[in-house]
Amino acid sequence: MSPVPALRPDLRLGAGYHSPQVPAEVRLNTNESPFAPPDEFVRALADEMTRVAFHRYPDRGAVELRRGIAELHGVDPAQVFCANGSNEVLQCLLLAYGGPGRRSLLFEPTYTLHAHISRLTGTEVVAAPRDEHFAIEPAAALAVLAATRPSVTFVCSPNNPTGVAERAEVVAALLGGAPGLVVVDEAYGQFAQTSALELREPGGSPGGTDARGLVVVRTFSKTWAMASVRLGYAIADPEVVTACEEVVLPYHLSVPTQVAGVVALRFAAAMASRTGFIAAERDRLAGALRALAVDTWPSEANFILFRPRDVPAGVVWQRLLDRSVLVRDCSTWAGVEGCLRVTVGTPEENDRFASALTESLR
Ligand code: PMP
């Protein structure tokens, strides 16, 4: 019997990329929607599923879904690429534009999968720091762009795990200086005041910056309350969409996924109202946190980063779990040492978190 071969030496796979799936009554660790989709959505989806030709491969072009998403954003379907969660969108972008001999640039602290998927695709990662408010400093960023010439520059806005949204001028400045794609990961975009999509609009880009290298990535996992479905998409130049289609596996997007997306789009207004509700809860939760012995940062997402002042983060995390409240331990991540991140839940969950945290900080 032949032995299992050695792992690719450049992978250096380690633990820490995945949030532990620990059982808890209040799960505020993965930034999902605290609410299930509306019952009418579930009924409509079940109805559509009775008409599926299960013995046939899915539509490779995901025509109906892309048309619906394009309509939602006022773009052409040729500018829409869909995949299994925004993570697969990011992977396709890196397969097409990263790879050996190429670099990706990201600004830490940020979403760890940007670096992880870069490495998986053999792309060298350049990590630049943010300023003390967790914002990208344009002049410093332009200097790094000029020195390292990345094929892909990642901006996460609002940024995970800090919650800070990037100003349109900053994204425009990066677009002006980047030699490759600028990928703005807006997994939490609907919770924020601004979107990089505005830069695509005629006259939307300050100084008339060419926005063809701009890719905005979104997901149905958060605001659309469909994390189980695994559906994400990019709005990009048609050339970028074609490149992603070249590298993705054939028939990657299953019929149930495509149908779920198409049906969800009929409930866009209901989803938008939930987003507003969660943003209001976030602000209420932020107020509760400000009254406690933690440092915290203004968030435009559906989560809040906080750093306990007097008790080590790991101890607080465990004490919360002892009270069946699960949050994300970011305390070992670069740039957010000693921090925890809480997802905004239902009002009841948020109250339970706030009282468990009050006890855990004693
Ligand atoms: N981008 C960011 C910033 C995220 O936080 C997440 C989810 N944790 C994703 C992308 C991936 O989301 P999904 O693959 O579920 O669309």
Side-chain angles (χ1 to χ4, degrees), residues 36-206:
D39 289 345
E40 306 82 71
F41 162 82
V42 178
R43 277 197 293 273
L45 178 56
D47 184 48
E48 290 291 338
M49 289 300 291
T50 62
R51 283 188 276 281
V52 167
F54 280 98
H55 56 305
R56 297 293 182 193
Y57 281 114
D59 171 14
R60 258 183 97 163
V63 170
E64 199 181 348
L65 176 60
R66 286 168 65 201
R67 196 189 299 131
I69 292 171
E71 214 166 280
L72 182 72
H73 290 293
V75 300
D76 195 273
Q79 292 172 279
V80 180
F81 174 70
C82 298
N84 293 285
S86 47
N87 281 339
E88 193 184 33
V89 176
L90 300 171
Q91 185 186 51
C92 290
L93 290 165
L94 283 160
L95 284 171
Y97 294 97
R102 293 184 169 210
R103 299 191 184 105
S104 68
L105 170 64
L106 43 89
F107 300 90
E108 283 187 333
T110 194
Y111 182 47
T112 49
L113 265 284
H114 294 162
H116 183 58
I117 305 172
S118 293
R119 293 198 185 97
L120 290 180
T121 57
T123 315
E124 184 191 339
V125 177
V126 178
R130 290 164 184 265
D131 72 11
E132 71 273 23
H133 305 294
F134 293 133
I136 296 173
E137 211 279 292
L142 289 176
V144 180
L145 280 169
T148 60
R149 314 288 301 157
S151 309
V152 179
T153 299
F154 285 108
V155 178
C156 191
S157 184
N159 187 34
N160 180 5
T162 63
V164 175
E166 230 50 71
R167 287 176 297 123
E169 301 89 87
V170 174
V171 180
L174 294 176
L175 268 174
L181 295 184
V182 174
V183 177
V184 185
D185 183 340
E186 292 193 352
Y188 308 96
Q190 293 95 316
F191 295 110
Q193 304 292 327
T194 56
S195 164
L197 285 169
E198 291 155 24
L199 296 172
R200 301 200 69 88
E201 289 160 15
S205 187

